[in-house]
């Protein structure tokens, strides 16, 4: 590729110096960049390679700190371009994926409290099978509790008593909404169960964590009428490759009730065209196979055949601008839904991807589907999660309503 982009042999010779020369083509292959962008990336990687040679740093010793040192030098020399840091970070990621560079182990905890938190994280990931997203919700709560209770001292869990737990919750719960206070108490219960499992405490402190009032089934599920969902699908622009990709995503959300994060994580290996099934990998590492509805399957097939950019990535849905990789997170899918609602002229207080999941459940219930069937389709772990949809079955609720004393007007 270098020979195609650069003319002079002296330039090519200069670019192919240093320990990264054999990785230049792989670093920018199948990413969908234009020729000008590729040239700029090759130049910065080649400069980095020559700098590594000058500093006698092997490729195997590469890490983020080494990249940062080089970029600081470029800034001082006023030679840095806007895309240079991302280009070098993608290079480092590629080398790690190929096994050329071994991923660096996280730094060793520097005090007793951070060691406890690190061990708690390993327990949640390896033994409980929780997702990294759950850890991001749990860890700050535990860190705050340890910092307040023990300040800078090593934790002495044997000294913990119920008032220490209830006092912490009372100090902080009133500052949070019920939606945010709920995860706080859940994180504390999980931590105290872990301490008891480890033998650090003998008392069941998890049972001492107060419950934050949040009345079960106190709200109505947010949903759109079935006709409105169809209008959103019809108004999706299918004259462009991006529009057809978005239409396939909207169909997955509206027909199968897939979560935004599950769309992001969907892999080419999850679609079984021979049986007409799709594997959805949901919360807690659990997976389920769902039948591909005709229109969903047709939209996916058309996107994969004609509109999906050529890429080595295995994710089904890719960005249409370089780098040609999967979406970073589920917020991209929610933003896509918000734009689709706006384009269709739909005004709704709820515009995220989950509104289509709720709309599917509500529509199925009104068509005569049972709560068990809806819970199975949405892959709810508990029937209580599905029970909220009973509140939108107004016809059935009328049969349970008692007459108002004195009649109604």
């Amino acid at each position: 590729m270098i020979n195609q982009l650069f003319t002079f042999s002296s330039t090519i010779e200069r670019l192919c110096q240093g320990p990264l020369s054999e990785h230049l083509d792989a670093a920018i292959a199948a990413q969908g960049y234009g020729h000008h962008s590729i040239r700029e990336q090759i130049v910065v990687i080649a400069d980095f390679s020559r700098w590594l040679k000058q500093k006698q740093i092997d490729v195997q010793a590469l890490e983020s700190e080494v990249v940062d040192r080089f970029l600081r030098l470029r800034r001082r020399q006023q030679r840095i371009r806007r895309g240079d840091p991302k280009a070098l970070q993608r290079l480092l990621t590629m080398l790690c994926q190929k096994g050329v560079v071994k991923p660096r182990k996280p730094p060793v905890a520097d005090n007793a409290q951070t060691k406890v938190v690190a061990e708690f994280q390993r327990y949640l990931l390896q033994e409980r099978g929780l997702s990294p997203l759950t850890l991001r919700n749990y860890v700050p709560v535990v860190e705050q509790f340890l910092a307040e209770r023990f300040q800078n001292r090593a934790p002495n869990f044997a000294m913990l008593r119920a008032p220490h737990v209830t006092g912490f919750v009372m100090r902080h719960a009133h500052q949070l909404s019920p939606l945010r206070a709920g995860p706080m108490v859940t994180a504390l219960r999980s931590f105290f169960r872990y301490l008891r499992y480890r033998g650090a405490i003998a008392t069941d402190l998890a049972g001492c964590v107060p419950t934050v009032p949040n009345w079960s089934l106190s709200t109505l599920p947010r949903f759109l009428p079935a006709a409105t969902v169809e209008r959103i699908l019809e108004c999706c622009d299918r004259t462009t490759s991006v529009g057809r990709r978005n239409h396939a995503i909207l169909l997955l959300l509206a027909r199968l009730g897939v979560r935004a994060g599950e769309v992001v994580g969907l892999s080419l290996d999850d679609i079984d065209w021979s049986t007409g099934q799709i594997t959805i990998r949901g919360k807690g590492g659990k997976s389920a196979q769902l039948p591909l509805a005709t229109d969903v399957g047709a939209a996916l097939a058309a996107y994969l055949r004609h509109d999906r950019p050529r890429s080595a990535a295995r994710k089904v849905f890719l960005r249409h601008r370089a780098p040609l990789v999967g979406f970073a997170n589920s917020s991209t899918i929610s933003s896509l839904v918000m734009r689709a609602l706006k384009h269709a002229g739909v005004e709704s207080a709820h515009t995220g991807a989950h509104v289509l999941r709720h709309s599917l459940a509500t529509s199925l219930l009104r068509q005569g589907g049972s709560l068990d069937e809806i819970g199975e389709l949405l892959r709810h772990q508990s029937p209580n999660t599905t029970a909220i949809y009973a509140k939108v079955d107004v016809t059935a609720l009328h049969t349970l309503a008692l007459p108002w004393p004195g009649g109604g007007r």
Side-chain angles (χ1 to χ4, degrees):
M1 182 175 290
I2 293 178
N3 293 329
Q4 299 171 5
L5 294 170
F6 297 90
T7 304
F8 298 107
S9 58
S10 58
T11 302
I12 295 173
E13 182 181 355
R14 180 175 58 84
L15 294 174
C16 292
Q17 295 178 11
L20 296 176
S21 58
E22 60 183 291
H23 305 289
L24 274 176
D25 283 349
I28 42 83
Q31 293 287 317
Y33 290 100
H35 282 185
H36 177 71
S37 179
I38 292 175
R39 284 169 60 96
E40 288 188 342
Q41 292 183 59
I42 288 176
V43 168
V44 71
I45 293 172
D47 288 350
F48 183 45
S49 182
R50 290 197 304 276
W51 180 80
L52 292 175
K53 181 180 178 180
Q54 177 188 354
K55 297 296 183 182
Q56 298 182 345
I57 300 175
D58 295 331
V59 175
Q60 293 78 9
L62 275 184
E63 55 184 345
S64 297
E65 288 76 5
V66 176
V67 174
D68 291 340
R69 282 176 55 196
F70 173 73
L71 290 173
R72 286 196 296 269
L73 174 65
R74 300 277 281 195
R75 290 189 183 95
R76 288 197 300 270
Q77 297 173 342
Q78 297 184 350
R79 297 176 57 200
I80 195 166
R81 289 185 294 265
R82 186 175 61 178
D84 289 355
K86 287 187 177 180
L88 294 180
Q89 187 57 51
R90 283 192 295 269
L91 168 73
L92 188 58
T93 301
M94 183 272 294
L95 293 175
C96 287
Q97 291 173 345
K98 292 179 66 175
V100 178
V101 174
K102 292 183 179 180
R104 290 294 179 263
K105 296 180 179 179
V108 178
D110 56 359
N111 62 51
Q113 289 187 24
T114 51
K115 286 180 181 178
V116 170
V117 174
E119 290 167 2
F120 178 53
Q121 291 185 76
R122 282 194 292 271
Y123 164 78
L124 293 178
L125 284 172
Q126 298 174 8
E127 299 190 35
R128 295 293 310 281
L130 299 186
S131 70
L133 178 61
T134 302
L135 263 65
R136 287 199 291 271
N137 292 328
Y138 281 17
V139 168
V141 176
V142 174
E143 289 176 336
Q144 186 175 14
F145 176 80
L146 294 177
E148 290 188 13
R149 180 90 297 270
F150 301 106
Q151 283 81 41
N152 296 322
R153 304 187 305 274
N156 183 359
F157 296 118
M159 300 297 294
L160 284 178
R161 298 292 182 267
H164 301 147
V165 179
T166 56
F168 177 84
V169 175
M170 291 176 66
R171 282 195 303 275
H172 297 285
H174 75 279
Q175 302 171 350
L176 305 172
S177 67
L179 190 63
R180 293 184 60 195
M184 179 188 71
V185 297
T186 302
L188 288 174
R189 291 192 188 106
S190 178
F191 180 62
F192 293 131
R193 291 191 192 104
Y194 161 73
L195 291 180
R196 196 176 185 194
Y197 160 81
R198 209 185 71 175
I201 58 175
T203 307
D204 180 18
L205 291 177
C208 302
V209 179
T211 299
V212 176
N214 188 16
W215 310 119
S216 177
L217 309 180
S218 61
T219 60
L220 284 170
R222 50 190 186 274
F223 67 93
L224 300 171
T228 302
V229 173
E230 294 305 315
R231 176 152 59 96
I232 294 169
L233 295 172
E234 286 297 323
C235 290
C236 187
D237 180 16
R238 279 170 275 175
T239 62
T240 66
S241 57
V242 174
R244 289 187 289 270
R245 179 202 66 186
N246 294 350
H247 183 249
I249 292 174
L250 290 171
L251 281 171
L252 274 172
L253 298 169
R255 299 286 190 256
L256 300 183
V258 179
R259 299 179 179 94
E262 294 164 349
V263 173
V264 172
L266 193 62
S267 168
L268 294 172
D269 305 312
D270 293 331
I271 305 176
D272 189 340
W273 296 105
S274 61
T275 61
Q277 290 185 318
I278 185 170
T279 300
I280 303 298
R281 307 188 187 280
K283 293 181 177 180
K286 295 185 178 180
S287 62
Q289 288 188 322
L290 299 178
L292 268 176
T294 304
D295 55 351
V296 179
L300 278 174
Y303 165 69
L304 294 174
R305 283 177 178 170
H306 308 298
D307 300 307
R308 185 178 183 271
R310 296 184 62 181
S311 172
R314 298 298 295 170
K315 293 294 174 61
V316 170
F317 298 107
L318 303 181
R319 292 162 43 97
H320 272 254
R321 290 184 179 179
L324 301 179
V325 295
F327 298 128
N329 51 55
S330 58
S331 62
T332 305
I333 306 300
S334 292
S335 298
L336 184 155
V337 173
M338 181 178 66
R339 291 194 299 270
L341 265 65
K342 185 177 181 180
H343 183 70
V346 175
E347 294 185 3
S348 172
H350 306 285
T351 58
H354 228 63
V355 72
L356 295 180
R357 180 175 167 90
H358 286 310
S359 300
L360 173 65
T362 304
S363 177
L364 291 175
L365 184 66
R366 289 177 170 174
Q367 293 174 29
S370 69
L371 291 177
D372 287 340
E373 291 170 336
I374 294 170
E376 185 176 354
L377 173 63
L378 300 185
R379 291 157 285 115
H380 287 157
Q381 297 183 23
S382 169
N384 293 333
T385 308
T386 317
I388 190 172
Y389 294 106
K391 298 171 69 174
V392 301
D393 190 358
V394 179
T395 302
L397 289 175
H398 276 160
T399 64
L400 304 176
L402 296 175
W404 186 260
R409 295 182 180 179

